[in-house]
């Protein structure tokens, strides 16, 4: 693997030449100059670097030695090693007696820059690997259970504990930077950008109190993400196959939550469990029949459907419903009677009331 890129080599030259008054050259593992304070030397084969790389030792070249080495200039050349791997050399141009004192400083600086770049690359690769894992988890049909389990084992992640997917939806943010900040605050979480405005957060539950966990994570998100956003918690499950289910429940809960409470910032499957579960009935001939009662409301459908939705939201309490709708109690009673007459359903009968409830839910999605 090529540890020293041209950009890294030039970074070493730029940084070191800010603090020492001598020209610095950086050579690759083949002894070629790939960065220099003297751009005219880039591409040359550096004889001193070749010796330093061959001996794995510091090589000094004085005026007499330089005359015997083709293209060589007086200076000092030091091999560069990163994690035990010889990867190149760094050279300082000048009389050895003058530049010797700076040699170790330049080598340490160069190796530190290379090690930091390598670590950053490893972290980035690890982050991408973890992100790909999450994306495969939430799209379970694209990967076999055996592959996912093997992937989890390699990452040291166990799904024996309850876990939940949180869906963070935001208008405008640097998702990559947000992921890094979130990883620092919640090391146990796995994250993935599922879209330009959607971040999936998979975390493990420390408490059976779901709203407590949601608000704790919501507080952290508010601190690191000042832009407008909503955070939705999916159903908590155990087992690796539960991640995709939790993600789908979070998506449904977010949609239903926004319809019901558009001004809120936090939504949860547990606040909308029944509508989320019923949302799976929104296709096919059964869905058409379930929507039929609301469709029968005709030209007053908007007003009567709104009345029903408010009535159900207040658990059928007439006074609270009338107050929320800003109408008289008698007006509410009249509207409910009309709904019963139009739909042919008896609102006092539990089964008819439940059918009407489902019809309202499916018609408002």
């Amino acid at each position: 693997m090529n540890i020293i890129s041209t950009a890294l080599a030039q970074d070493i030259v730029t940084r070191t030449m800010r603090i020492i008054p001598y020209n610095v050259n950086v050579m690759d593992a083949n002894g070629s100059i790939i960065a220099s304070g003297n751009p005219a030397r880039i591409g040359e084969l550096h004889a001193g670097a070749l010796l330093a790389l061959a001996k794995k030792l510091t090589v000094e070249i004085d005026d007499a030695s330089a005359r015997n080495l083709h293209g060589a200039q007086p200076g000092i050349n030091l091999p560069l090693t990163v994690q035990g791997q010889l990867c190149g050399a760094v050279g300082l141009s000048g009389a050895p007696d003058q530049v010797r004192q700076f040699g170790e400083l330049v080598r340490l600086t160069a190796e530190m820059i290379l090690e930091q770049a390598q670590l950053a690359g490893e972290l980035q690769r690890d982050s991408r690997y973890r992100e790909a894992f999450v994306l495969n988890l939430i799209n379970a049909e694209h990967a076999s259970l055996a592959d996912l389990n093997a992937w989890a084992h390699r990452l040291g992640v166990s799904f024996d504990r309850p876990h939940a997917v949180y869906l963070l939806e935001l208008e405008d943010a640097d998702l990559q930077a947000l992921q890094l900040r979130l990883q620092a605050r919640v090391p146990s979480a796995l994250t993935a950008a599922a879209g330009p405005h959607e971040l999936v957060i998979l975390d493990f539950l420390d408490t059976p109190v779901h709203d407590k966990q949601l608000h704790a994570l919501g507080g952290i998100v508010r601190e690191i993400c000042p832009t407008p956003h909503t955070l939705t918690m999916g159903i908590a499950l155990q087992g690796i196959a539960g991640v995709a289910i939790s993600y789908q429940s979070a998506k449904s809960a977010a949609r239903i939550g926004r319809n019901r409470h558009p001004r809120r910032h936090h939504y949860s499957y547990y606040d909308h469990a029944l509508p989320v579960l019923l949302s799976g009935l929104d296709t096919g001939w059964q869905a058409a029949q379930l929507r039929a009662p609301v469709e029968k409301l005709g030209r007053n459908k908007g007003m009567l459907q709104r009345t029903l939705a408010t009535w159900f939201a207040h658990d059928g309490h007439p006074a609270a419903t009338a107050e929320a709708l800003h109408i008289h109690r008698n007006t509410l009673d009249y509207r409910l009677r009309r709904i019963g007459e139009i739909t042919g359903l008896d609102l006092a009968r539990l089964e008819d009331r439940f059918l009407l409830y489902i019809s309202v839910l499916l018609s408002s999605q």
Side-chain angles (χ1 to χ4, degrees):
M1 182 177 65
N2 183 21
I3 295 176
I4 308 182
S5 66
T6 302
L8 278 175
Q10 189 57 52
D11 189 30
I12 292 168
V13 170
T14 302
R15 290 199 201 184
T16 53
M17 288 186 65
R18 286 175 185 161
I19 55 176
I20 63 171
Y22 299 98
N23 181 57
V24 175
N25 301 311
V26 176
M27 284 66 67
D28 63 17
N30 299 313
S32 295
I33 300 175
I34 56 175
S36 174
N38 178 7
R41 298 201 64 188
I42 294 175
E44 292 181 7
L45 195 62
H46 197 291
L50 287 172
L51 287 172
L53 289 166
K55 295 181 177 182
K56 299 182 181 179
L57 294 170
T58 299
V59 172
E60 295 185 358
I61 300 176
D62 55 18
D63 287 326
S65 300
R67 284 192 292 270
N68 296 321
L69 293 171
H70 176 70
Q73 296 182 10
I76 184 172
N77 300 280
L78 305 95
L80 296 174
T81 304
V82 175
Q83 294 184 357
Q85 181 180 346
L86 187 67
C87 59
V90 63
L92 285 77
S93 302
D97 289 342
Q98 294 176 344
V99 299
R100 187 180 297 118
Q101 61 181 317
F102 299 109
E104 282 303 319
L105 172 64
V106 172
R107 172 159 61 180
L108 287 172
T109 301
E111 289 180 345
M112 180 188 70
I113 291 171
L114 294 173
E115 286 172 357
Q116 287 179 339
Q118 190 174 47
L119 178 60
E122 289 173 357
L123 289 174
Q124 189 174 29
R125 284 191 296 274
D126 180 65
S127 177
R128 286 199 297 265
Y129 189 73
R130 291 159 70 91
E131 184 166 31
F133 178 51
V134 174
L135 291 175
N136 275 275
L137 285 172
I138 64 175
N139 297 288
E141 69 273 11
H142 296 153
S144 72
L145 191 58
D147 288 342
L148 292 175
N149 278 313
W151 206 330
H153 181 72
R154 286 195 297 271
L155 288 172
V157 179
S158 172
F159 289 89
D160 293 337
R161 290 182 296 157
H163 52 77
V165 168
Y166 299 83
L167 184 63
L168 178 61
E169 296 172 287
L170 56 173
E171 295 175 5
D172 185 30
D174 183 343
L175 290 185
Q176 189 173 15
L178 183 58
Q179 283 178 270
L180 291 173
R181 291 195 291 268
L182 190 61
Q183 188 175 356
R185 294 293 303 274
V186 191
S188 62
L190 297 169
T191 64
H197 306 289
E198 181 179 304
L199 186 67
V200 172
I201 305 167
L202 170 61
D203 199 12
F204 298 87
L205 304 187
D206 298 322
T207 170
V209 184
H210 303 118
D211 60 343
K212 197 172 183 181
Q213 191 98 352
L214 174 61
H215 285 95
L217 181 59
I220 293 172
V221 171
R222 277 196 303 273
E223 291 177 19
I224 64 176
C225 179
T227 58
H229 64 269
T230 60
L231 182 68
T232 306
M233 179 182 186
I235 186 173
L237 296 169
Q238 287 178 265
I240 201 165
V243 177
I245 297 171
S246 185
Y247 172 67
Q248 292 300 328
S249 70
K251 293 274 285 184
S252 296
R255 185 183 70 252
I256 290 167
R258 278 193 299 269
N259 285 339
R260 288 183 157 192
H261 309 288
R263 295 185 180 181
R264 290 187 185 176
H265 302 292
H266 292 167
Y267 304 112
S268 171
Y269 162 81
Y270 293 95
D271 293 333
H272 308 287
L274 185 57
V276 170
L277 294 172
L278 292 174
S279 65
L281 302 174
D282 60 356
T283 59
W285 69 268
Q286 294 96 332
Q289 292 304 307
L290 290 171
R291 289 193 180 95
V294 167
E295 296 300 321
K296 290 179 181 179
L297 296 179
R299 60 188 181 88
N300 292 320
K301 175 183 172 184
M303 178 192 68
L304 295 179
Q305 184 175 348
R306 189 165 56 252
T307 300
L308 277 174
T310 308
W311 186 56
F312 285 127
H314 290 84
D315 299 317
H317 294 303
T321 305
E323 183 179 356
L325 289 169
H326 307 293
I327 59 175
H328 193 274
R329 169 73 180 274
N330 292 340
T331 303
L332 174 63
D333 290 341
Y334 170 75
R335 290 184 185 178
L336 293 175
R337 283 197 305 274
R338 280 295 296 151
I339 290 169
E341 292 168 1
I342 296 171
T343 61
L345 298 173
D346 182 358
L347 274 63
R349 184 170 176 261
L350 180 59
E351 189 170 318
D352 284 6
R353 186 182 295 197
F354 186 57
L355 176 57
L356 198 53
Y357 176 67
I358 296 174
S359 186
V360 170
L361 285 180
L362 294 182
S363 297
S364 61
Q365 289 180 16

